[in-house]
Amino acid sequence: MAGVLKRNWRRRSREEWQEVFARHGSSGLSVTAFCARESISVSSFQRWRATVGPVCGKAVAGGATRKEAFVDLGVLGSGGTSRWELKLDLGDGVVLHLVRG
């Protein structure tokens, strides 16, 4: 058909999507710019990120545990004198802010 763009469609495994998300995280690009560079549709990127995005300590097949990332906050005393603050930029303007103490 004239005027129809032929797209190179490709099925990615969960592990390949994890690699895509890791590349995006280190790229410094917005989702739109990254997807354009990688020839990925933004809707597919967002759908897969919602289902298999960063996996930290979740159970996988065979009962094993995946540990993609770990933040060591050191020893936190129970006396209430320890204070920590953690900000995670999850992208698209979403920031998780945790404070203790």
Side-chain angles (χ1 to χ4, degrees), residues 60-71:
V60 293
T65 301
R66 286 181 74 157
K67 294 183 181 176
E68 298 289 331
F70 178 76
V71 176

Side-chain angles (χ1 to χ4, degrees), residues 11-74:
R11 180 177 297 271
R12 290 178 174 85
S13 68
R14 294 174 78 85
E15 292 77 20
E16 289 173 313
W17 277 108
Q18 288 289 334
E19 292 170 9
V20 168
F21 302 136
R23 284 197 313 271
H24 171 252
S26 63
S27 72
L29 297 173
S30 68
V31 170
T32 305
F34 177 79
C35 288
R37 184 185 80 182
E38 299 280 323
S39 300
I40 299 171
S41 79
V42 172
S43 62
S44 291
F45 181 93
Q46 291 173 335
R47 181 171 29 92
W48 278 99
R49 182 172 60 182
T51 57
V52 300
V55 177
C56 298
K58 290 189 178 178
V60 293
T65 301
R66 286 181 74 157
K67 294 183 181 176
E68 298 289 331
F70 178 76
V71 176
D72 185 358
L73 297 175

